[in-house]
Amino acid sequence: MQLTREFYSRPTLEVAEDLLGKALVRVESNGDLTSGLIVETEAYVGVDDLGCHARSGKTPRNVSMWGPPGHAYVYFNYGMHWLFNIVTERDDFPAAVLIRAIVPIKGLEIIRERRSRRGDTELTNGPAKLTQALGIKRETDGVDLCQIGSTLYLEEGKIIDPATITTHSRVGLNSVPEPWKSIKWNFRVSLQFAKPYPVASEPLP
DNA sequence: AGCACGATTAACT
DNA sequence: GTTAATCGTGCTC
């Protein structure tokens, strides 16, 4: 069943943790269906969070993050990568959850093709890898994830044992001042659960 | 108008 | 472990 607006209309840290184990589903106009189980998320909360894009106020790029919850915030980074976020909290408050890693569920052959037939552990274990795998790009920015028939939405996946969840510093905020640089707003399902795929930035031994 | 850099990835030593 | 790729964005002049 498709997750509703109420799920996203909560404090961002709660949503980020609860998104673990949910299924991200992508339906494209040509009939391609791909999906994956979320295993790593990251919270970005408000203008005071100096790691969050909203620190610069409302701009053309981050305007989706200021909109109502349950919508996509997709942005372009490093000149070549698309990153997918889910807007949380309430209208006019900028906050979102970055999806950093999934485990493929459906459309594995499509995913393998889009990922240039890389090894199965390298398919969707990174924020830009999973958007490439699911065909999430510019046109997905602002999409309503709660709308019936949406090309992008979430649904129930697997029940996650809270004991298997770990928290970490957010990835890639090297020049961000403390405490934002080290605050543990990154959430992961333990490696054991994610087998045979590793979570981002932490390859299997 | 110009510029430094980024919520990354892949290839290479 | 190090680094090139590649360009939109936000900031400074």
Short mmCIF file of all heavy atoms in Angstrom, two decimals, chain A residues 19-22 24 36-42 98-104 124-130 187-188 198-201, chain B residues 9:
data_model
loop_
_atom_site.label_atom_id
_atom_site.label_comp_id
_atom_site.label_asym_id
_atom_site.label_seq_id
_atom_site.Cartn_x
_atom_site.Cartn_y
_atom_site.Cartn_z
N LEU A 19 11.82 5.38 7.27
CA LEU A 19 11.92 5.07 5.84
C LEU A 19 12.75 3.81 5.59
O LEU A 19 12.63 3.18 4.54
CB LEU A 19 12.53 6.25 5.08
CG LEU A 19 11.57 7.38 4.71
CD1 LEU A 19 12.33 8.59 4.19
CD2 LEU A 19 10.56 6.91 3.67
N LEU A 20 13.57 3.43 6.56
CA LEU A 20 14.35 2.19 6.41
C LEU A 20 13.39 1.01 6.32
O LEU A 20 12.48 0.86 7.13
CB LEU A 20 15.30 2.00 7.60
CG LEU A 20 16.38 3.08 7.76
CD1 LEU A 20 17.16 2.84 9.07
CD2 LEU A 20 17.33 3.08 6.57
N GLY A 21 13.58 0.19 5.29
CA GLY A 21 12.72 -0.97 5.09
C GLY A 21 11.51 -0.69 4.22
O GLY A 21 10.78 -1.62 3.87
N LYS A 22 11.29 0.57 3.84
CA LYS A 22 10.21 0.90 2.91
C LYS A 22 10.70 0.65 1.48
O LYS A 22 11.89 0.66 1.21
CB LYS A 22 9.77 2.35 3.07
CG LYS A 22 9.21 2.68 4.46
CD LYS A 22 7.91 1.94 4.71
CE LYS A 22 7.23 2.40 6.00
NZ LYS A 22 7.89 1.86 7.22
N LEU A 24 10.94 1.82 -2.40
CA LEU A 24 10.86 2.95 -3.34
C LEU A 24 10.55 2.38 -4.72
O LEU A 24 11.27 1.52 -5.23
CB LEU A 24 12.20 3.70 -3.35
CG LEU A 24 12.35 4.82 -4.38
CD1 LEU A 24 11.35 5.94 -4.13
CD2 LEU A 24 13.78 5.37 -4.35
N GLY A 36 13.23 -0.73 -5.04
CA GLY A 36 14.27 -1.18 -4.13
C GLY A 36 13.90 -0.89 -2.69
O GLY A 36 13.08 0.00 -2.41
N LEU A 37 14.48 -1.67 -1.78
CA LEU A 37 14.25 -1.50 -0.35
C LEU A 37 15.25 -0.51 0.22
O LEU A 37 16.45 -0.65 0.04
CB LEU A 37 14.41 -2.86 0.36
CG LEU A 37 13.75 -3.00 1.71
CD1 LEU A 37 12.24 -3.11 1.54
CD2 LEU A 37 14.30 -4.22 2.43
N ILE A 38 14.74 0.52 0.90
CA ILE A 38 15.62 1.56 1.44
C ILE A 38 16.43 1.03 2.62
O ILE A 38 15.86 0.49 3.57
CB ILE A 38 14.79 2.79 1.86
CG1 ILE A 38 14.10 3.41 0.64
CG2 ILE A 38 15.67 3.83 2.57
CD1 ILE A 38 13.15 4.55 0.95
N VAL A 39 17.76 1.20 2.56
CA VAL A 39 18.62 0.72 3.64
C VAL A 39 19.53 1.80 4.22
O VAL A 39 20.26 1.55 5.18
CB VAL A 39 19.48 -0.48 3.18
CG1 VAL A 39 18.61 -1.69 2.84
CG2 VAL A 39 20.35 -0.11 1.99
N GLU A 40 19.53 3.00 3.63
CA GLU A 40 20.30 4.10 4.22
C GLU A 40 19.64 5.43 3.89
O GLU A 40 19.27 5.69 2.75
CB GLU A 40 21.75 4.10 3.71
CG GLU A 40 22.59 5.22 4.33
CD GLU A 40 24.05 5.22 3.89
OE1 GLU A 40 24.45 4.31 3.15
OE2 GLU A 40 24.78 6.13 4.31
N THR A 41 19.48 6.29 4.92
CA THR A 41 18.86 7.61 4.75
C THR A 41 19.66 8.67 5.50
O THR A 41 20.50 8.34 6.34
CB THR A 41 17.42 7.64 5.28
OG1 THR A 41 17.44 7.42 6.69
CG2 THR A 41 16.55 6.59 4.61
N GLU A 42 19.36 9.92 5.20
CA GLU A 42 20.06 11.03 5.85
C GLU A 42 19.09 12.19 5.99
O GLU A 42 18.41 12.56 5.03
CB GLU A 42 21.26 11.44 5.00
CG GLU A 42 22.55 11.63 5.76
CD GLU A 42 23.75 11.63 4.85
OE1 GLU A 42 23.86 12.52 3.99
OE2 GLU A 42 24.58 10.73 4.97
N LEU A 98 17.43 12.49 2.45
CA LEU A 98 18.17 11.98 1.30
C LEU A 98 18.18 10.46 1.35
O LEU A 98 18.48 9.88 2.39
CB LEU A 98 19.61 12.50 1.34
CG LEU A 98 20.59 11.90 0.32
CD1 LEU A 98 20.26 12.35 -1.09
CD2 LEU A 98 22.03 12.25 0.67
N ILE A 99 17.82 9.83 0.22
CA ILE A 99 17.91 8.37 0.14
C ILE A 99 19.29 8.01 -0.39
O ILE A 99 19.64 8.37 -1.51
CB ILE A 99 16.82 7.81 -0.80
CG1 ILE A 99 15.43 8.31 -0.37
CG2 ILE A 99 16.86 6.28 -0.80
CD1 ILE A 99 15.06 7.97 1.06
N ARG A 100 20.08 7.33 0.43
CA ARG A 100 21.48 7.07 0.10
C ARG A 100 21.76 5.67 -0.43
O ARG A 100 22.79 5.45 -1.06
CB ARG A 100 22.38 7.34 1.30
CG ARG A 100 22.58 8.80 1.65
CD ARG A 100 23.78 8.97 2.58
NE ARG A 100 24.99 8.47 1.99
CZ ARG A 100 25.80 9.20 1.22
NH1 ARG A 100 25.55 10.48 1.00
NH2 ARG A 100 26.88 8.66 0.71
N ALA A 101 20.88 4.71 -0.11
CA ALA A 101 21.13 3.36 -0.60
C ALA A 101 19.84 2.54 -0.55
O ALA A 101 19.02 2.70 0.35
CB ALA A 101 22.20 2.67 0.24
N ILE A 102 19.67 1.69 -1.56
CA ILE A 102 18.56 0.75 -1.60
C ILE A 102 19.10 -0.64 -1.98
O ILE A 102 20.24 -0.76 -2.43
CB ILE A 102 17.45 1.16 -2.59
CG1 ILE A 102 18.00 1.17 -4.02
CG2 ILE A 102 16.87 2.52 -2.23
CD1 ILE A 102 16.95 1.49 -5.09
N VAL A 103 18.27 -1.66 -1.78
CA VAL A 103 18.58 -3.00 -2.27
C VAL A 103 17.55 -3.30 -3.35
O VAL A 103 16.35 -3.18 -3.10
CB VAL A 103 18.47 -4.04 -1.13
CG1 VAL A 103 18.67 -5.44 -1.68
CG2 VAL A 103 19.50 -3.75 -0.04
N PRO A 104 17.97 -3.66 -4.56
CA PRO A 104 17.02 -3.89 -5.65
C PRO A 104 15.95 -4.92 -5.29
O PRO A 104 16.25 -5.94 -4.67
CB PRO A 104 17.91 -4.41 -6.78
CG PRO A 104 19.26 -3.85 -6.49
CD PRO A 104 19.36 -3.84 -4.99
N THR A 124 23.15 -0.21 -6.52
CA THR A 124 22.32 0.84 -5.90
C THR A 124 22.82 1.24 -4.51
O THR A 124 22.05 1.74 -3.70
CB THR A 124 20.86 0.36 -5.77
OG1 THR A 124 20.84 -0.88 -5.05
CG2 THR A 124 20.23 0.15 -7.13
N ASN A 125 24.11 1.04 -4.23
CA ASN A 125 24.65 1.32 -2.89
C ASN A 125 25.27 2.72 -2.81
O ASN A 125 26.33 2.92 -2.22
CB ASN A 125 25.69 0.26 -2.50
CG ASN A 125 26.89 0.29 -3.42
OD1 ASN A 125 26.78 0.67 -4.58
ND2 ASN A 125 28.03 -0.13 -2.92
N GLY A 126 24.57 3.71 -3.37
CA GLY A 126 25.03 5.09 -3.29
C GLY A 126 23.92 6.00 -3.80
O GLY A 126 23.09 5.57 -4.61
N PRO A 127 23.85 7.25 -3.33
CA PRO A 127 22.74 8.14 -3.65
C PRO A 127 22.60 8.45 -5.14
O PRO A 127 21.47 8.64 -5.62
CB PRO A 127 23.05 9.40 -2.85
CG PRO A 127 24.50 9.35 -2.57
CD PRO A 127 24.85 7.89 -2.46
N ALA A 128 23.70 8.50 -5.86
CA ALA A 128 23.62 8.77 -7.30
C ALA A 128 23.50 7.47 -8.09
O ALA A 128 23.04 7.48 -9.24
CB ALA A 128 24.83 9.56 -7.76
N LYS A 129 23.92 6.36 -7.48
CA LYS A 129 23.78 5.07 -8.16
C LYS A 129 22.31 4.66 -8.23
O LYS A 129 21.84 4.17 -9.24
CB LYS A 129 24.59 4.00 -7.42
CG LYS A 129 26.09 4.24 -7.40
CD LYS A 129 26.81 3.15 -6.61
CE LYS A 129 28.30 3.43 -6.47
NZ LYS A 129 28.98 2.38 -5.68
N LEU A 130 21.58 4.89 -7.14
CA LEU A 130 20.19 4.44 -7.11
C LEU A 130 19.30 5.31 -8.01
O LEU A 130 18.33 4.80 -8.58
CB LEU A 130 19.66 4.39 -5.68
CG LEU A 130 19.43 5.68 -4.91
CD1 LEU A 130 18.01 6.20 -5.08
CD2 LEU A 130 19.71 5.46 -3.43
N PHE A 187 21.11 7.27 8.93
CA PHE A 187 20.52 6.05 9.48
C PHE A 187 20.74 4.89 8.51
O PHE A 187 20.50 5.02 7.31
CB PHE A 187 19.01 6.24 9.71
CG PHE A 187 18.69 7.36 10.65
CD1 PHE A 187 18.59 8.68 10.18
CD2 PHE A 187 18.50 7.13 12.01
CE1 PHE A 187 18.30 9.73 11.05
CE2 PHE A 187 18.21 8.18 12.88
CZ PHE A 187 18.11 9.48 12.40
N ARG A 188 21.18 3.75 9.05
CA ARG A 188 21.42 2.57 8.21
C ARG A 188 20.85 1.31 8.85
O ARG A 188 20.85 1.17 10.06
CB ARG A 188 22.92 2.33 8.01
CG ARG A 188 23.64 3.48 7.35
CD ARG A 188 25.13 3.17 7.24
NE ARG A 188 25.88 4.40 6.98
CZ ARG A 188 27.21 4.49 6.98
NH1 ARG A 188 27.93 3.42 7.25
NH2 ARG A 188 27.79 5.63 6.73
N PRO A 198 25.96 -4.41 0.14
CA PRO A 198 26.47 -3.55 1.20
C PRO A 198 25.77 -2.21 1.18
O PRO A 198 25.20 -1.83 0.17
CB PRO A 198 27.94 -3.38 0.84
CG PRO A 198 27.95 -3.46 -0.65
CD PRO A 198 26.85 -4.41 -1.03
N VAL A 199 25.79 -1.48 2.29
CA VAL A 199 25.30 -0.11 2.28
C VAL A 199 26.41 0.80 1.79
O VAL A 199 27.57 0.41 1.75
CB VAL A 199 24.83 0.35 3.68
CG1 VAL A 199 23.63 -0.44 4.10
CG2 VAL A 199 25.95 0.20 4.69
N ALA A 200 26.05 2.00 1.42
CA ALA A 200 27.03 2.91 0.83
C ALA A 200 28.19 3.19 1.78
O ALA A 200 28.02 3.22 2.99
CB ALA A 200 26.34 4.24 0.49
N SER A 201 29.33 3.39 1.20
CA SER A 201 30.53 3.80 1.93
C SER A 201 31.03 2.74 2.92
O SER A 201 31.85 3.03 3.77
CB SER A 201 30.29 5.10 2.71
OG SER A 201 29.66 6.03 1.88
P DT B 9 27.54 7.84 -5.08
OP1 DT B 9 26.25 7.19 -5.32
OP2 DT B 9 28.29 7.59 -3.83
"O5'" DT B 9 28.49 7.52 -6.31
"C5'" DT B 9 28.05 7.91 -7.61
"C4'" DT B 9 29.13 7.70 -8.63
"O4'" DT B 9 30.21 8.63 -8.42
"C3'" DT B 9 29.75 6.29 -8.64
"O3'" DT B 9 29.56 5.76 -9.93
"C2'" DT B 9 31.23 6.53 -8.30
"C1'" DT B 9 31.43 7.99 -8.68
N1 DT B 9 32.45 8.73 -7.93
C2 DT B 9 33.43 9.43 -8.62
O2 DT B 9 33.50 9.44 -9.84
N3 DT B 9 34.32 10.11 -7.83
C4 DT B 9 34.34 10.17 -6.45
O4 DT B 9 35.18 10.82 -5.85
C5 DT B 9 33.29 9.42 -5.79
C7 DT B 9 33.23 9.42 -4.30
C6 DT B 9 32.41 8.74 -6.55
#
